[in-house]
Amino acid sequence: MNIHEYQAKAILKSFGVPVPQGHVAHSPVEAKEIAKSLPGDVFVLKAQIHAGGRGAGHFVGEPASGGVRIVRSAAEAERVACEMMDRVLVTRQTGPSGRLVRRLYVEAGCAIARELYLSLLIDRATRSLVIVASPDGGMDIEDVAARTPERILRVAVDTGLGLMDYQARNLAVGLGLSGRLIQSFAALVRAACNAFARLDAALIEINPLVVTEGGDLLALDAKMGFDDNALFRHADIEELRDENEEDPREVEASRFGLSYVGLDGTIGCMVNGAGLAMATMDIIHAQGEAPANFLDVGGGATRERVTAAFRILLADPQVEGVLVNIFGGIMRCDLIAQAVIAACGEVGLKMPLVVRLAGTNVEEGQAMLEASGLPVTVAQDLGDAARKIVAAVRARRTV
């Protein structure tokens, strides 16, 4: 689960990470009042969407606009907020459809001397928290890594020992910091590590982490993501979820405990087991088409969950055909057949459907599908299923 910048900054501030003063605004008038309350005479208005590249983005119909604006008065803050709120912002991460800006973060400006990069994430290879830092902040870290990999610093943090003082100091020196900034950086990264561990975070990214002309460190931007499987321990974090920023298909799937990720293809997939789901997606690609989703209904899914999963697939406008691939171990094939029949009756089946069942009660499940009167194609194995759904989708396109 991801959260907005203003939420991430509030959390990091509570753990001791220094951030500029700012507040979230839900209207242009509120943006003006916040600017009045902030120190200084330079303010920054930032569109709050779950996507990076906001400053380089543009609002639909205005190619010269951007999702991060500098203003120099409260009146200008109100005027610019009018130009940004309730508009669709397009960035390199949103895709051409963009995201609707429903709120702005109004922040006090600061004089920047240097921009650094800092992030914390889980490295699956070392099974540890890893700190990634670079003296080249304010840029895409992927671009920095591609052009100048030597400027990417990495430190693995031992789970039992935590961040060691020498590691924090070495990072600071590697970033070109000196004097009191070394201790300031060590305190900041230690606070970020504490937040990461305490809140079961999956990502903390501060880009840029700036050194001000006054010699202070400030987290000028912040992203935080959390492990969905640990949210039951953090009800206060779960309340920060903004479903407007999520794929509505994924939101609906989460209500039924389904593992769903929307993709760009046209063949909907419903599978039990993550490994089998990945294999199903791969074999669709091998046949020259692309899956519309990753969908794992789980080994012990109920009829209600399976029906919900099928309903999500059929309601997706980009889906041209559906492949159901079930291995009945814990999951019974007759239960899958019941759910497929129920969902088709509820939503209506207007596209090719190929079902491959194997395992527990497979004969009963196949008999139920054949007796249903639905235009269902039964496949004998995974390769047969992929060939049949691809052929059916392509034939439908030519009609």
Side-chain angles (χ1 to χ4, degrees):
M1 187 190 86
N2 297 319
I3 60 175
H4 288 291
E5 173 195 359
Y6 74 92
Q7 296 166 326
K9 283 182 172 176
I11 291 172
L12 292 175
K13 182 180 178 181
S14 72
F15 280 86
V17 175
V19 301
Q21 292 186 48
H23 301 282
V24 64
H26 298 86
S27 70
V29 172
E30 197 172 357
K32 178 180 70 173
E33 295 305 316
I34 292 171
K36 286 181 179 179
S37 70
L38 294 174
D41 53 7
V42 176
F43 315 102
V44 184
L45 274 60
K46 299 182 177 182
Q48 295 299 285
I49 60 172
H50 288 181
R54 292 169 297 168
H58 68 276
F59 289 96
V60 172
E62 296 183 25
S65 60
V68 178
R69 307 276 192 89
I70 297 174
V71 301
R72 300 185 182 278
S73 70
E76 188 182 4
E78 181 180 23
R79 178 180 61 78
V80 172
C82 287
E83 299 173 357
M84 299 175 69
M85 297 196 76
D86 298 319
R87 302 286 303 280
V88 175
L89 179 64
V90 178
T91 78
R92 59 180 175 273
Q93 291 188 10
T94 65
S97 59
R99 295 277 178 83
L100 181 66
V101 177
R102 294 177 171 86
R103 67 199 82 179
L104 301 174
Y105 189 48
V106 184
E107 190 173 66
C110 66
I112 301 172
R114 288 188 60 197
E115 295 186 348
L116 311 173
Y117 176 90
L118 176 68
S119 68
L120 289 75
L121 66 157
I122 298 295
D123 185 340
R124 296 184 183 275
T126 61
R127 300 179 183 180
S128 64
L129 168 63
V130 171
I131 302 170
V132 179
S134 174
D136 298 325
M139 302 172 59
D140 287 338
I141 197 63
E142 295 85 358
D143 294 340
V144 177
R147 293 197 304 266
T148 53
E150 70 278 3
R151 294 180 70 79
I152 302 294
L153 311 177
R154 293 170 59 92
V155 169
V157 179
D158 185 279
T159 304
L161 297 175
L163 178 68
M164 306 299 288
D165 289 342
Y166 79 89
Q167 292 178 310
R169 290 194 297 269
N170 286 347
L171 271 175
V173 172
L175 292 173
L177 301 177
S178 60
R180 68 180 181 89
L181 280 174
I182 293 178
Q183 293 303 319
S184 297
F185 177 83
L188 184 150
V189 73
R190 197 175 295 112
C193 286
N194 189 24
F196 193 100
R198 290 271 300 278
L199 301 178
D200 291 302
L203 169 73
I204 294 178
E205 184 179 59
I206 300 173
N207 186 30
L209 170 65
V210 302
V211 181
T212 69
E213 291 183 357
D216 297 316
L217 288 174
L218 284 178
L220 208 60
D221 192 9
K223 287 182 184 177
M224 289 190 74
F226 301 89
D227 183 349
D228 292 345
N229 296 312
L231 287 176
F232 71 94
R233 292 199 289 251
H234 307 284
D236 54 335
I237 298 296
E238 192 167 16
E239 289 177 356
L240 301 178
R241 182 179 185 181
D242 185 353
E243 292 186 353
N244 291 316
E245 294 293 320
E246 300 179 24
D247 186 324
R249 299 169 298 177
E250 296 179 14
V251 172
E252 178 69 11
S254 69
R255 295 194 177 108
F256 293 91
L258 300 167
S259 297
Y260 179 97
V261 178
L263 302 172
D264 297 329
T266 57
I267 296 179
C269 305
M270 185 172 76
V271 190
N272 65 324
L276 188 59
M278 296 297 290
T280 303
M281 294 164 62
D282 286 345
I283 203 164
I284 290 173
H285 274 294
Q287 292 297 318
E289 291 290 334
N293 61 274
F294 169 98
L295 174 55
D296 173 14
V297 297
T302 63
R303 173 177 169 176
E304 179 188 31
R305 286 178 62 188
V306 174
T307 302
F310 204 75
R311 186 171 62 245
I312 291 170
L313 294 183
L314 294 184
D316 188 341
Q318 74 180 20
V319 171
E320 299 179 20
V322 174
L323 171 57
V324 176
N325 181 25
I326 299 296
F327 178 79
I330 300 174
M331 175 69 71
R332 291 165 29 206
C333 293
D334 58 330
L335 185 150
I336 293 293
Q338 290 175 2
V340 167
I341 294 168
C344 289
E346 179 182 334
V347 181
L349 182 60
K350 301 178 181 179
M351 62 185 68
L353 170 62
V354 175
V355 179
R356 179 256 185 172
L357 302 175
T360 306
N361 292 353
V362 62
E363 294 84 3
E364 292 89 333
Q366 290 176 339
M368 293 173 67
L369 289 172
E370 292 170 359
S372 69
L374 294 171
V376 179
T377 300
V378 177
Q380 299 306 311
D381 55 44
L382 181 51
D384 183 43
R387 288 188 293 271
K388 285 179 175 177
I389 189 60
V390 168
V393 165
R394 289 176 175 172
R396 185 169 182 256
R397 290 173 185 163
T398 62
V399 175

